[in-house]
Amino acid sequence: MSLTSSPADAAAFEVWIADTLRPRAAEKLIRAETFGRAMDGVRLLPDVLERQANQKEFNLPIWEYLAIAASDERIRNGRHRLRSHRTLFNRIEQAFGVEPEVVAAIWGLETGYGVVKGEVPVLSALATLAFRGRRAAFFEDELIAALRLVQLGDATPETLTGSWAGAVGHGQFMPSSMLEFGVDFDGDGKIDLSGDDPTDALASIANYLKKHGWRQGQPWGFEVRLPEGFDHARSGLDQPLPSPDWAGMGLSTVTGDPVPDYGPASVLQPAGAGGVALMALRNFHVLTRYNRAVAYALGIGHLADRLGGGRPFVAAWPVGARELGSGDISEAQFLLSRAGFDTMGIDGMIGPNTTRAVRAYQVARGMVADGYVGPLLLDRLREERG
Ligand code: CA
């Protein structure tokens, strides 16, 4: 597939819009008038296809990711924004029950507090990806959602600007999320997530968290000290227990108090038994609804804590350890499954099924059963294969 645009590509794109997309949009109740008005300025964006093709899946070690997510600069800028927008953040907290620091942390991690929102015309980006990109069906659905926003009068082609992948504005909302969770908080009749004024965008972030079950007044989680002889096989986001059960096992906060009762909680060791141990609460799972990566949720949670004056983690990370890439993870999944510990698929990504298989393997081999897919595990699997 050639990524350079030729007149022939542009012509094929126009034909696709007229003959394929138009009838499909009509089926989804997008009126001809809306379609004509919104698609009028849409162009094929070869750069977008190039960006998608060259998208690197990178695995930063969690401690490096957190150093970027909660860098001194991002903390400083976030505290400044909390002060300069204090009234707005307070109004949002009253309306949606989400703390200012949490909303600010998402704003800060998504777009550097609105500094790097992206200026790509989203209708063109989505149409390009729906025409010829990978996951075309997904992007076509998002394009239809964007057209619906225009039809409802909630957006105009001009306000729909953002990233090459179609994420709009300060909080990088996909159009389907704008439809479901977008809020016109300044009451001007439009849901403007990409303008200089972040009022609608920040309220929409808070609404998104509220609708996914955010519990006001509770942390996302906190660092814990594990008792001597802790059974690491009990850790993992898939194994929550009531907080008092953890306290009964001797888990404490880093200041030595028993873990407080915030309801069901899981022990999370993002770098395995050799790194920081955390208690992940309900709000942690809410953050993973914004972005499924555990590192992202942890980045948001930690940045929010730091914006509120919280301290860095106390325990050390295994700095210098090798971080496995997706090829290594696929190999580990293959070897685990062949050894009788089914990871239910080999996709290079760590989900609950892989974690469970790793834990079972570690238990069977007498290893520390922290469920962590790290170099120790891969070396052992390779050795065993012979
Ligand atoms: Ca508005």
Side-chain angles (χ1 to χ4, degrees), residues 184-192 200:
D184 172 24
F185 201 56
D186 64 6
D188 70 349
K190 296 227 180 330
I191 301 170
D192 182 3
D200 288 357

Side-chain angles (χ1 to χ4, degrees), residues 67-101:
I68 295 168
S71 67
D72 289 345
E73 192 190 0
R74 208 184 306 268
I75 292 168
R76 199 168 48 239
N77 289 342
R79 288 177 180 166
H80 173 74
R81 292 296 201 290
L82 283 166
R83 279 195 302 274
S84 60
H85 294 73
R86 184 178 299 159
T87 311
L88 172 60
F89 277 114
N90 289 344
R91 279 180 55 222
I92 288 173
E93 183 174 19
Q94 272 169 14
F96 303 100
V98 182
E99 289 79 359
E101 293 78 12

